[in-house]
Amino acid sequence: MSRLKPRERDAIVQALRAGVVPKLGLRHIQVGRAREIEELVKDMDRIADGGSAIRFIIGEYGSGKTFFMNLIRLVALEKGLVVMFADLAPDRRIHATGGQARGLYAEMARNLATRTKPDGGALPSVVERFVSQAQHDAEAQEKSTDDIIRQRLAHFEELTGGFDFAQVIRRYWEGHETGDEELKSAAIRWLRGEFATKTDARKALGVRSIVNDASVYDHLKLMSAFVCEAGYKGLLVGLDEMVNLYKLTSSQARNANYEQILRILNDVLQGSAENLGFLMGGTPEFLMNTRRGLYSYEALQSRLAENTFARDGLVDLSGPVIRLASLTPEDLFVLLANIRAVMQGDEAILPDNALEAFMAHCSDRIGEAYFRTPRNTVTAFVNLLAVLEQNPGVEWSDLIEELDVAEDSGDDMSDVDESVGAVPESDELASFRL
C-alpha cells in the first residue's frame, strides 16, 4: 500500500465522521468487493478501447454504493478516462421540461475531473489541452491552428448538436489567440450547459443552440468524442441517488426519465456509443419496485432482469446490474483495522481485541445491520478513536460500553405514497418529496 499523505488522512477522517464518502485515499480503507471491482475494471478497459459500458450499482442505504462508485471513479482516472459525476436531486434529473436535466448536466460538467485534476473543475484544462495539441500539430504540419481544429472536429457535424459544439471550440481558440478572456469564458459556460437561452448564446458565441433538457445525452456523447480528441481514453458518467426518480409522484415524469435510461441502455448494449460508460447508483426499490421503480417500465425490466441461473450462491456479474453484497464480519474487521491505521498510524494504541469488542457491542445493539449497512458503525468507530486520541488517560473498554449505535434507516421513504396518481408534466418539480 502506498504511503498515506496528510491531506488524504484528513479527508478520510473528516468524511467518515460526517458519514459521507471521502474523495481521496479510498485505497487505504477499501475492503471486499474484489470480484465486483475486477468486473468494473474490465469495463474501464472496454471504454478505453472504444467500447461502452453501463452498470446499475444497487444496494441498501449505507451499504457502500457511493464508496464503490467513487472507487471506480478513481480507477477510471488512473486508466486515463475523464469522469463526470453528480447526484440526482429535485432540481437535477435525466429528463425534464423545466431545466432540471440541464441542471444535472451543468453539475456534471462542473465536477468533470481528470487524473491531474481529480477534484473537478477540469473542463477548461481539457479544452486547453485540445487547443495546445492542435497548435503543436499545426506547427508540425505547417498549417494554421484553425485548419487543424476544423479538421479534427469535422466528424462532429455528423452528430446531433455537433456543429455548434465544434463552433464553440473554435471560438475558444479565437479567444485564446486574441487574449479575449471573456470569449473563452463564454465558450466554457456553453460547454458546461450554463446558458439558459439561445439568444444569450448567439450573442456571446454566434451559435444557435444550447445544452437544454432534451439534448443532455447527445451532449454527453459529444463530450465523450471531444475528450478523446483531447488525448484522453474516454468518458465515464456517474449518477448517484437515482432513487430520486422513484420518488417522483408523476408517473409521466418517471416514465420520461426511464425512457431516457432505456435509450442510453440500448445505445450501450447495441454498441452505438463509443468511449462512453455509465454508472447509476440506486436502492433495490429504485430497481425492482413494479409500481414506481425501473421494473415498472416493461422494456427496462426485461433488459435488467436477473440471470435465473444465478441463485443458491452462484453469481453473474456480467449483466448491467451489480448488486453489492453485504460486507462480512471479517470484511468489517479489516475495514476498522484500516481506519485505525489511517488515524493512529503504525503505532496504533487500540488493540485488535478492542475491535472485536466494538463489533460485538454493535451486534448486540443493532444486530446484523452493523455490517449490512456499516455507515453508522464506521462513524461511531471514528468518533471513538478521536476521543481516545485526545484523551490519553481514557480506557477504550469504558467508552465502548457507553457507545450508542443506531441502525442506519437510510432515506425516509415513508412519505412515498404508492397510490398517488399522475400529476401534470408542468408540476414535475413540485412532485418531489424528500
Side-chain angles (χ1 to χ4, degrees):
M1 184 178 291
S2 58
R3 187 176 64 85
L4 177 67
K5 300 175 183 176
R7 180 179 176 226
E8 291 178 325
R9 179 193 183 278
D10 292 343
I12 292 171
V13 174
Q14 290 171 12
L16 294 182
R17 289 195 72 170
V20 298
V21 176
K23 288 192 174 182
L24 296 175
L26 293 185
R27 64 189 181 281
H28 294 287
I29 56 175
Q30 163 63 22
V31 297
R33 317 282 193 221
R35 295 182 65 182
E36 292 89 343
I37 293 171
E38 185 179 333
E39 283 297 318
L40 270 294
V41 169
K42 292 178 184 176
D43 285 355
M44 300 306 106
D45 290 334
R46 187 181 305 117
I47 295 167
D49 288 338
S52 57
I54 183 169
R55 298 284 189 164
F56 296 84
I57 311 301
I58 303 299
E60 300 286 355
Y61 279 99
S63 64
K65 291 187 306 299
T66 303
F67 186 99
F68 183 81
M69 291 177 66
N70 271 282
L71 190 65
I72 301 306
R73 173 184 179 276
L74 295 178
V75 171
L77 292 175
E78 289 298 317
K79 293 280 186 181
L81 274 64
V82 173
V83 299
M84 297 174 72
F85 270 48
D87 291 348
L88 269 67
D91 59 344
R92 296 196 296 265
R93 59 184 185 268
I94 299 172
H95 179 278
T97 56
Q100 299 91 345
R102 183 173 67 85
L104 177 65
Y105 181 88
E107 179 69 12
M108 286 191 290
R110 283 191 291 271
N111 293 337
L112 186 143
T114 62
R115 185 176 180 179
T116 55
K117 296 198 71 172
D119 296 332
L123 182 56
S125 63
V126 171
V127 179
E128 196 68 33
R129 175 170 169 169
F130 172 81
V131 167
S132 297
Q133 288 181 349
Q135 278 183 293
H136 179 77
D137 292 347
E139 291 174 5
Q141 299 176 32
E142 297 183 350
K143 294 182 178 179
S144 73
T145 302
D146 188 62
D147 286 344
I148 294 295
I149 291 176
R150 288 179 182 275
Q151 178 184 320
R152 292 180 61 180
L153 299 181
H155 65 287
F156 276 52
E157 297 182 11
E158 302 170 6
L159 305 173
T160 304
F163 180 85
D164 280 345
F165 189 101
Q167 175 71 3
V168 168
I169 298 300
R170 290 196 293 270
R171 295 289 281 168
Y172 182 93
W173 157 248
E174 182 182 325
H176 178 91
E177 184 73 353
T178 60
D180 188 340
E181 293 298 324
E182 190 173 328
L183 185 58
K184 289 170 64 178
S185 176
I188 294 298
R189 285 183 57 220
W190 189 94
L191 293 170
R192 283 179 175 157
E194 293 176 358
F195 276 100
T197 68
K198 295 178 182 179
T199 302
D200 290 342
R202 185 165 62 249
K203 188 182 301 182
L205 296 164
V207 295
R208 296 182 175 275
S209 69
I210 58 173
V211 180
N212 57 32
D213 286 336
S215 64
V216 166
Y217 178 46
D218 292 323
H219 275 272
L220 288 174
K221 290 196 284 188
L222 287 167
M223 188 61 72
S224 171
F226 178 69
V227 300
C228 289
E229 288 294 337
Y232 298 94
K233 299 291 183 64
L235 177 67
L236 178 66
V237 177
L239 300 172
D240 203 358
E241 303 297 340
M242 296 290 285
V243 75
N244 277 292
L245 302 182
Y246 173 93
K247 289 182 178 182
L248 279 168
T249 55
S250 165
S251 59
Q252 184 180 1
R254 286 198 308 273
N255 287 339
N257 277 272
Y258 293 162
E259 189 171 335
Q260 194 73 349
I261 292 174
L262 178 64
R263 179 190 174 196
I264 295 171
L265 183 63
N266 285 340
D267 268 7
V268 171
L269 297 181
Q270 294 169 358
S272 300
E274 297 179 2
N275 300 103
L276 181 59
F278 288 87
L279 291 181
M280 299 185 182
T283 60
E285 291 86 0
F286 159 70
L287 174 69
M288 300 184 67
N289 189 287
T290 55
R291 290 179 63 99
R292 308 172 71 106
L294 290 179
Y295 276 17
S296 68
Y297 202 84
E298 188 174 341
L300 283 172
Q301 182 175 0
S302 64
R303 287 162 175 77
L304 300 178
E306 294 186 68
N307 186 335
T308 55
F309 293 98
R311 59 179 62 181
D312 300 326
L314 302 177
V315 297
D316 175 17
L317 298 175
S318 63
V321 176
I322 296 285
R323 289 180 176 274
L324 295 185
S326 300
L327 291 178
T328 66
E330 292 77 15
D331 287 334
L332 187 58
F333 181 88
V334 175
L335 174 59
L336 297 181
N338 287 347
I339 294 171
R340 177 183 61 182
V342 166
M343 293 187 67
Q344 298 186 340
D346 295 332
E347 300 178 0
I349 59 174
L350 198 66
D352 286 353
N353 62 324
L355 305 189
E356 295 168 359
F358 175 83
M359 292 172 61
H361 177 80
C362 292
S363 180
D364 290 342
R365 288 297 181 96
I366 58 177
E368 65 171 9
Y370 84 98
F371 63 87
R372 269 195 302 109
T373 55
R375 178 165 44 195
N376 280 4
T377 307
V378 167
T379 299
F381 184 70
V382 172
N383 289 336
L384 170 68
L385 290 178
V387 170
L388 289 173
E389 184 178 309
Q390 297 172 64
N391 300 273
V394 175
E395 291 292 330
W396 59 262
S397 54
D398 296 333
L399 290 178
I400 288 178
E401 287 305 316
E402 299 174 5
L403 182 67
D404 184 25
V405 182
E407 183 174 350
D408 189 351
S409 58
D411 186 60
D412 183 10
M413 305 290 281
S414 61
D415 60 348
V416 177
D417 187 350
E418 295 280 356
S419 64
V420 173
V423 298
E425 185 80 9
S426 60
D427 293 338
E428 284 183 20
L429 186 57
S431 69
F432 273 94
R433 296 184 178 187
L434 294 183

